[in-house]
Amino acid sequence: MTRADVSVLGVRHHGPGSARSLIQELDRLRPDIVLIEGPPEADDLVELARDAGLEPPVALLAHVPGEPSKAAFWPFAVFSPEWQAIRHAVEAGVPVRFCDLPAAHSLASHPDGPEEERRDGRAPDPGEPAVRADPIGTLARAAGYDDPERWWEDAVEHRGDTPFQVIAEAMAAVREGHVPDGHGARREAFMRRTIRRAVKDGFERIAVVCGAWHVPALAGTPREGAAWGAGLPTVKADDALLRGLPKVRAEMTWVPWTYGRLAAWSGYGAGVTSPGWYHHLFVSADRPVERWLTAAAGVLRDEDLPVSSAHVIEAVRLARGLAVLRGRPLAGLAEVTEAVRAVLCEGDDLPVELIQRRMVVGEQLGHVPDATPMVPLQRHLREEQRRLKLRPEALDRELDLDLRKPLDLERSRLLHRLRLLGVDWGTPQESRSKGTFRESWTLTWRPEFDLDLIEAGAWGTTVPAAAGARVRDLVDGGRMTGAAVPGGGPGAAAAAGSRPSGGGQGAAPCVSLAGLTGLVERCLLAELPDALPYVLDALSARAALDSDVTHLMAALPAMVRAQRYGDVRGTPATGLAVVVDALLSRVCVGLGGAVTGLDDDAARDLLRHIDGVHAAVALLDGAAGEEAPRTRWLATLRGASGRSDLHGLIEGRLTRILLDAGDLDAVSVGPRMSRAMSAGHPPARAAAWIEGFLSGGGLLLVHDARLLALVDGWLTGLAPETFVDVLPLLRRTFGAFSAPERRSIGSRVGTLDAGRSVSTVEDVDEERAAAAVRTVLMILGRTEGT
């Protein structure tokens, strides 16, 4: 074997101090090959680092085609030692090889993605000793620190150089007596195999960049003048460990990443708590504290908070003073944060949270060049983003669209199509405008969307084609394969299941009537004219077989919205009007039988459907300009409201709808309310009637003293124990009113007649009362006039 000089350089993943020291060490060593901890499938992707379009933070994505649950990310920031090693090698014209266990084995070994492993040497394997789980923490405790991050900053990040030999010796002491097994042992065996292959290939100056934990397993304990490999497991032992490993076909590419996803709190095992701060330490080696506090002042000024230069000067003094008191070589994040809170924010935690989000964590989004391997669907989306001037951003961005403008209309269609594919780049928000030609969105690009696009590439090569194919699959009762979840693997970003799935990911098949009508609406919003007839045919067939009126009522609102949006957007929606009319007709026929024999829960559910249909009919009237649907619907409600076996909630709500629609007047509503609250009905039913009647708003009681007196008289006439029983219902009813409504009702109650009399003497019909008077006198044994 050729004699080679192998330098094993242990680093802290995503450590700016390690990155700076590594650059200096590589300049000194001038290696003829650089081996980096990472999946070897990425060897062919290293050349893309020459492209200025590959801007960190980025990540290597490994995935198994057709098995989206098997995927993992390896992120790189500009301050990651591995990234700087890649850049150094590319600029020096030196070959780069990744030396970790191939992703093909890691992804195959774990059905739900490879196990999560912190790239700074922590793994969640309960069988490993605690020191393996946190070697940095062990060194920190030995140095008298209770915070490993702070110890690393003091001992490494704030030093001008990193003594790689000292770190190697420290890790050897930490690992003493530890025998790796399982996945960790296989990883280190493969790293040694890669080093041996580089030696065999004739390289003489080999630099190995890996997590500090692995240094003793790769460097060994060489004797003076001995070749590399002394004190390490033999080739035979390593081959035995690696023999027979399961394997899958894994594909690899670069994808954009964000500092928010790099943070440890996001679920990424090798993450750091403050990637924005570490980025600052790396790029601002000169006067980092002064520059940081100046930038923080700028962030606060952008929010119109008064921060002067004097504030910055005093904050710098405070941060330095705290560092001296605590015996630190340089003010760290804890000190500058306290200075920001005390001086720049004057003790207010809210602006401190703003600094935390924008600067300490940061939301910088990386970029990959067009030469990066991509599926056609990803490339088409990138072209659409450029054409529509929609740049992906990691920070939340509010976007208001005017659908009357061609550019905004196309943007809306793109976002709706992506949502059908489970790529929730845009989240619809309630528009601040009342017009249907307005849409509001919140745009947030997440790194895992690239994996979603790779998965959705099976549906088509363009966004419209893929969305249309996905719709047909949903109509046929298919289920989109569960989205690939970032695996935790060696250096992977997160354990399987840590990523929230998109809107269409893993969704239940749209075979219900309501699901099909919702799909019609989404087809119109996304402008999928080829898929729409397919959905309408399925909807008509399903509606003809569905006899449950509540299913029909649930389906109608979405169809009405679809018809209206089709008109606003100019999207052809032939056949919608016929389907809407048929659904409304069947609802009107079946409602009478659906409103009887209901318990409280069923009545409340039906009430929700009634309100939905009522709102839809009003929207349909506005769209069609016809009175026929509204007239037919109100006649149905009028007929149902006269039944004697209605639930109190339903009867009260129907009465209120008819009153608001002008089908009933206040004079005719009074007797209905009197009957509902009479002693012949249980108090609970009367309370339910009131709840249904007042669910449309409480201003009616403010403007109609007669109805208010009826309610007030019923309440004051309840027995104490009965009042306690119905109090929860009353609280729910009146609690739904706004504070001004409640105040107005209270004021009106105070003006009612002290006798709480609903009627006056002038209201008595003496002719009708005469018969009752004679009967009472007979019972008393008296005659008229005595």
Side-chain angles (χ1 to χ4, degrees), residues 725-761:
D725 291 338
V726 301
L727 184 58
L729 296 175
L730 297 174
R731 279 179 174 169
R732 180 169 59 194
T733 300
F734 286 90
F737 300 157
S738 64
E741 284 181 327
R742 293 197 297 269
R743 284 196 298 268
S744 298
I745 293 173
S747 299
R748 293 288 292 172
V749 170
T751 63
L752 292 177
D753 182 73
R756 312 290 185 181
S757 176
V758 175
S759 61
T760 62
V761 175

Side-chain angles (χ1 to χ4, degrees), residues 39 41 60-64 67-74 100-118 123-125 183-184 186-187 246 248 250 252 267-269 451 484-498:
E41 291 92 340
L60 288 169
L61 164 63
H63 66 99
V64 179
E67 298 185 59
S69 65
K70 295 182 178 180
F73 296 100
W74 284 260
D100 207 341
L101 191 68
H105 296 310
S106 299
L107 295 174
S109 301
H110 305 275
D112 297 321
E115 64 176 333
E116 178 182 21
E117 173 147 348
R118 287 186 61 115
D125 187 350
H183 187 63
R186 290 189 290 272
R187 290 181 59 201
V248 294
M252 185 77 67
Y268 169 36
L451 186 56
V485 179
S498 65

Side-chain angles (χ1 to χ4, degrees), residues 764-777 784:
V764 175
D765 187 335
E766 295 185 2
E767 182 177 353
R768 295 179 61 191
V773 171
R774 286 194 295 271
T775 302
V776 172
L777 291 176
E784 291 187 59

Side-chain angles (χ1 to χ4, degrees), residues 466-490:
R470 174 63 179 138
V471 166
R472 291 186 179 89
D473 181 74
L474 288 171
V475 170
D476 292 336
R479 184 187 299 272
M480 177 176 277
T481 306
V485 179

